[in-house]
Amino acid sequence: MNALSEEAPPSAASARWMELVLSRAHAGVAVCLVGASPALAEALRARGGSVRELPGPEWKRGKGPAPTLVVLEGDAVERVLEEGLEALRREAPGAELVFSLRNAGSARALMGALTGEAPVRAGLSEQRMLRLLAEVGYRVAHREVVPCASGGTALAEDTAQALRALLAQLSPSTQVEEGLYVAVPDGPVRAPVAGLLSVVVTVEPGTQDAALDEALFALACQEQQPLELLLAAPEGVDLSAAEAALERYGRLGSFQARTVRAPSGALYAEAVREARGQYLAFVDARCVVYPRHFVELVRALQTGREAWALARAFRTEWASGEGTPPYVRAKVPFPLGERLEVEHLVIHPELVHAMVIDRSRIGPFPVAMESGLGDLPARMGALFPPVFLGGIASCEVRGPREPPAVAVAPGTWLVRPLDAWVDVVARIREETLQAREFRHRVVDMLNARVHGLPWVHGTLKALANRLKSGSGR
C-alpha cells in the first residue's frame, strides 16, 4: 500500500490521479473512459491509446473490441461499483479497472456523523468497495491512500483517540480518507464451506525436513473432519519433501491438500483468500498438534457463540549435545492460568498456532495483516472474547520464541458488554478478599506459634513497634 501525503492539496491529488491512469496505459491500449473527463481522454490519446468516452455514469459495452483498461470518473465510480460490476466483469473480462474513491466509512466521517457535526457522508466505504470487487472476481493490485486527519470533532482528545483506535481494530479501512485504486481480474471470492476446517501450514525458508515431516504426520492424524491443509510457502521455497510426506500420510486420514505461493509479505493474506473453510487455523511447519486438538476447538465453537477458540499449548524447549542432533529437553506449558486474559495474548504471540477462528462470526475483521500474524491473537481477543479450553495442552509450539507483540498493547481497546466488566470487577474483589483472608490466617498462625516463646514474641512485638514508630515520622 502506498500513501499519498495527508496534506496533499486537491491539485496534487489530481496530478497523481492523472499520472496513475497514464501509467496503466501504453501505446495501442483500448481504453473505456466512463464519466466526462476531456483532459484525461486527450492525455490518453496522446499516449497512443484508443479511447472510447462514455458520458456515464453507467457502464455500456458498446461495439468494437472489449477494452483492456476501464477508467471511472465522477459519479460513474459509485454507480458502476454498486450496480454495474457484474456486467463489466462479464463483458470486459480482461480489463483493468482504475478509479478514485472518497471513503464514506472513514473514521473522520463516521465520528462527525456520530456527534452530529457533519452529515452522513454519501457514497461507498472502502470496505464495501473491496467486498464488491472480490465478489465478482477482482483484486486490488495497486492502492494509494490519504490517511484520515486527526481531530476535527468536539469530542475530548482521549475519547476521539479511543474511538479511532477501536474503528481501526474493526477495520483498517476506517483510517483511509480517500484513495486511488487499480483492480485487476481475478477469481471471485467463494463463500466459506460450512463445517470445513482449513489449516494453513506455513513453511518458511530453512525449515528442517524432519520437523516438517512430523508436523504433517500429526495433521494427518487429526480426528477433525472435514479437513483441508494449505501448504503456504514464499516463492522459491522447495516443497518437494512436504508434498512427498502428504502423499505418504494420505492413507492415515481424510484430508484435502493444496499449495499456496506468494511473496513473503503477502503470504498470509493469499492463504486466507485461498482457504475455503468456515473454520481457520494457522500452524507453523515446526509445530505438532495432538489428534483431538482441532476437533475439541471446533466443537467448542459449534456449541457456543464465540468467534474463536484457544487451547492450552506447550512451548517446546530444544537442546543439543556435541555431535548429536537436537532433541526435546522439556515441554513447558504457557502460563495462562485458569482465565485467559488479553495480556496473555500480547505476551505470547505464539498462541496463534493454538487457535481456531470461525470466519462466519468475525464479519469484515482482517485476519491477515501486512505485519504477519504476530498480533492476531491480541487483536482477536480485544474484539471477540474467546472460548478457552483450559484442560490439558493439546499442541506444541516448537518454533523459536517470538517477541511479545508490544506494538499492539498500547493501542488495543477492549470491546466488552458492561455485564462482563461487572463480573471482572467482582472476581478481582473476591480474589483480593481471599488473598487478604489468607494473609490474616498466616499472621494468626505465626502469632500462635511464637506466643509460647515469650522472649521471641516480645522481641518481634518490640521490633514491630519500632517499625511502626519509624514509619510515622
Side-chain angles (χ1 to χ4, degrees):
M1 179 189 75
N2 299 320
L4 300 172
S5 169
E6 190 170 336
E7 304 298 330
S11 58
S14 300
R16 179 57 196 138
W17 163 245
M18 180 82 73
E19 181 183 343
L20 175 63
V21 174
L22 295 178
S23 71
R24 312 302 294 193
H26 53 79
V29 68
V31 183
C32 181
L33 179 57
V34 188
S37 182
L40 184 55
E42 182 180 351
L44 286 167
R45 290 191 177 98
R47 295 290 294 266
S50 169
V51 181
R52 182 165 64 92
E53 296 182 71
L54 295 177
E58 292 87 2
W59 150 263
K60 295 179 181 178
R61 170 67 170 83
K63 298 180 180 180
T68 55
L69 182 65
V70 176
V71 181
L72 306 180
E73 277 275 14
D75 295 340
V77 175
E78 182 179 352
R79 183 71 66 86
V80 172
L81 293 178
E82 281 276 23
E83 302 175 9
L85 267 183
E86 290 188 4
L88 176 60
R89 183 73 174 90
R90 181 177 61 253
E91 297 167 1
E96 289 187 353
L97 189 59
V98 185
F99 59 93
S100 63
L101 180 73
R102 188 165 184 246
N103 184 17
S106 74
R108 188 171 186 176
L110 294 174
M111 291 168 61
L114 178 67
T115 58
E117 298 171 76
V120 175
R121 182 180 293 182
L124 280 174
S125 68
E126 188 194 52
Q127 186 67 45
R128 176 161 173 75
M129 175 269 293
L130 294 173
R131 184 177 300 179
L132 290 172
L133 289 174
E135 286 175 352
V136 298
Y138 287 100
R139 65 177 175 84
V140 175
H142 184 85
R143 174 175 178 258
E144 299 179 24
V145 300
V146 177
C148 278
S150 57
T153 72
L155 296 171
E157 184 176 350
D158 56 348
T159 303
Q161 179 185 0
L163 282 174
R164 286 194 59 160
L166 179 57
L167 290 171
Q169 289 170 203
L170 290 168
S171 173
S173 289
T174 59
Q175 307 308 298
V176 173
E177 189 66 31
E178 56 184 312
L180 310 178
Y181 307 88
V182 177
V184 298
D186 194 21
V189 65
R190 299 178 297 267
V193 178
L196 174 64
L197 170 63
S198 296
V199 181
V200 177
V201 186
T202 52
V203 185
E204 297 292 343
T207 300
Q208 298 294 323
D209 288 347
L212 177 57
D213 184 89
E214 189 173 3
L216 294 177
F217 172 77
L219 289 169
C221 295
Q222 287 298 302
E223 297 182 14
Q224 171 63 30
Q225 294 296 329
L227 180 65
E228 172 188 61
L229 302 182
L230 291 92
L231 287 176
E235 296 169 348
V237 173
D238 183 16
L239 289 179
S240 57
E243 292 167 350
L246 286 175
E247 184 176 355
R248 186 166 60 251
Y249 300 137
R251 299 183 298 273
L252 297 178
S254 176
F255 59 86
Q256 306 167 13
R258 292 185 291 131
T259 300
V260 178
R261 294 281 195 176
S264 296
L267 182 60
Y268 292 113
E270 182 65 18
V272 171
R273 193 179 70 86
E274 288 286 337
R276 300 184 302 113
Q278 173 187 353
Y279 302 105
L280 182 65
F282 296 92
V283 175
D284 186 274
R286 295 161 294 194
C287 296
V288 172
V289 290
Y290 300 171
R292 293 192 59 79
H293 174 71
F294 288 125
V295 74
E296 294 293 344
L297 288 169
V298 171
R299 180 178 298 159
L301 291 173
Q302 291 174 338
T303 57
R305 298 184 301 173
E306 292 82 3
W308 65 293
L310 182 76
R312 287 196 185 276
F314 292 115
R315 178 187 283 118
T316 301
E317 294 184 354
W318 293 87
S320 60
E322 185 175 352
T324 62
Y327 60 92
V328 176
R329 178 175 59 189
K331 298 178 184 179
V332 182
F334 284 88
L336 304 181
E338 294 301 318
R339 298 180 180 87
L340 185 69
E341 305 290 350
V342 175
E343 290 74 13
H344 295 142
L345 306 174
V346 176
I347 297 171
H348 306 295
E350 305 98 320
L351 291 172
V352 70
H353 303 306
M355 60 189 286
V356 169
I357 301 170
D358 186 343
R359 301 167 77 183
S360 67
R361 295 177 179 174
I362 61 174
F365 176 84
V367 174
M369 305 286 281
E370 294 179 2
S371 57
L373 298 178
D375 62 350
L376 177 59
R379 290 192 297 115
M380 288 290 297
L383 296 174
F384 308 100
V387 53
F388 177 47
L389 303 188
I392 299 174
S394 57
C395 74
E396 300 175 21
V397 177
R398 291 189 168 186
R401 177 175 296 199
E402 299 181 21
V406 292
V408 176
T412 301
W413 294 84
L414 305 184
V415 179
R416 294 288 187 274
L418 181 59
D419 290 346
W421 288 115
V422 172
D423 291 342
V424 169
V425 172
R427 171 167 55 85
I428 293 174
R429 182 174 182 273
E430 180 181 356
E431 291 174 351
T432 302
L433 291 175
Q434 289 176 351
R436 184 180 302 168
E437 182 182 352
F438 176 74
R439 289 196 303 270
H440 290 169
R441 286 202 305 270
V442 170
V443 171
D444 290 343
M445 289 171 58
L446 179 62
N447 186 59
R449 295 261 183 139
V450 302
H451 189 71
L453 304 172
W455 64 273
V456 174
H457 187 266
T459 302
L460 291 176
K461 187 175 181 179
L463 177 60
N465 290 334
R466 284 200 300 271
L467 290 174
K468 287 181 180 179
S469 61
S471 61
R473 292 175 184 171

